[in-house]
Structure formats: structure tokens, C-alpha cells
Amino acid sequence: MKKTLMAFLLGSTLVLGACGNNDDTASEEASDANNPQEAADSALGNDIDPEKIVNQKCSSCHGGDLSGGMGPALKNIGSELSADEILSVIQNGKGAMPKNIIEGDEAEAVADWLANKK
């Protein structure tokens, strides 16, 4: 009896697992269809999301909406600084901002993203 019950439970688990719907994949595919650049980046392994990085590493000082706080406002920083100048600030720090708070490709992506804030 125990063997039959175990076989039934194992079989049920396998069947139910195989029938599951992976909504995450469907959501990602729909998102990629709406944003070709994101799809290309994802296909190349460039899953850098500069807005997410800014929210994680910069918003505590520059504000969640980039309107400033302990650090200066970045809402329109692109009208004041170029991407290279922003990257320099990220790499070298400025005032109380530590250097290299973001590094490498992420720093470049954030600098480009902020440079478009005009």
C-alpha cells in the first residue's frame, strides 16, 4: 500500500510540474517585443539596467526621483554635464560622494543614461 501511495504521489508531482505555466518567460518575451534595444542587450548578455542601478546605489543621496537630497539633483544633469564628465564624477567621486560607487560597464551605462536627463 505504501509503495502504491508513494508512486501515485511521485507521478502526480511529475505531471503537475510538467503542466505548470512559466509566466516569467512570457512576461520577458512580451517585454522584449515592446523594447527591441532591451531584447538586443539581453541576447548579447548586456542586462545592464542603468535606472535600476541608480535606484539601488544613488537614490539614497540624490533622491528617488533624482530631485536631490544629501547630494545634488540629477534630474537635469545632462544639460550641465556630458556623459564623459558624469563618468568622471562616478569614477573619481566629488565632495562627499565616494569614488567608484559604480564601476565598469555599469558606470558607463549610468553616465550615458544620466547624460540624457535634460
Side-chain angles (χ1 to χ4, degrees), residues 28-106:
E28 287 176 19
E29 289 172 3
S31 174
D32 288 349
N34 294 331
N35 188 340
Q37 180 61 46
E38 193 173 297
D41 288 347
S42 181
L44 295 172
N46 300 333
D47 290 337
I48 297 174
D49 182 351
E51 185 173 10
K52 183 177 180 181
I53 295 167
V54 167
N55 286 334
Q56 291 173 342
K57 301 209 175 182
C58 309
S59 63
S60 61
C61 293
H62 296 285
D65 61 354
L66 303 179
S67 62
M70 190 168 64
L74 301 177
K75 277 183 126 171
N76 301 315
I77 194 67
S79 61
E80 299 172 28
L81 300 176
S82 70
D84 287 338
E85 292 170 319
I86 294 169
L87 181 60
S88 177
V89 171
I90 292 170
Q91 292 172 333
N92 300 311
K94 186 172 182 180
M97 180 176 160
K99 66 180 182 175
N100 293 318
I101 196 161
I102 306 167
E103 297 180 314
D105 290 342
E106 289 185 347

Side-chain angles (χ1 to χ4, degrees), residues 4-44:
T4 305
L5 181 59
M6 290 299 286
F8 175 76
L9 290 175
L10 180 60
S12 298
T13 302
L14 291 174
V15 169
L16 291 174
C19 293
N21 182 7
N22 189 348
D23 287 337
D24 291 338
T25 303
S27 296
E28 287 176 19
E29 289 172 3
S31 174
D32 288 349
N34 294 331
N35 188 340
Q37 180 61 46
E38 193 173 297
D41 288 347
S42 181
L44 295 172

Side-chain angles (χ1 to χ4, degrees), residues 64 94 96 108 112 114:
K94 186 172 182 180
E108 290 179 21
D112 288 341
L114 287 172

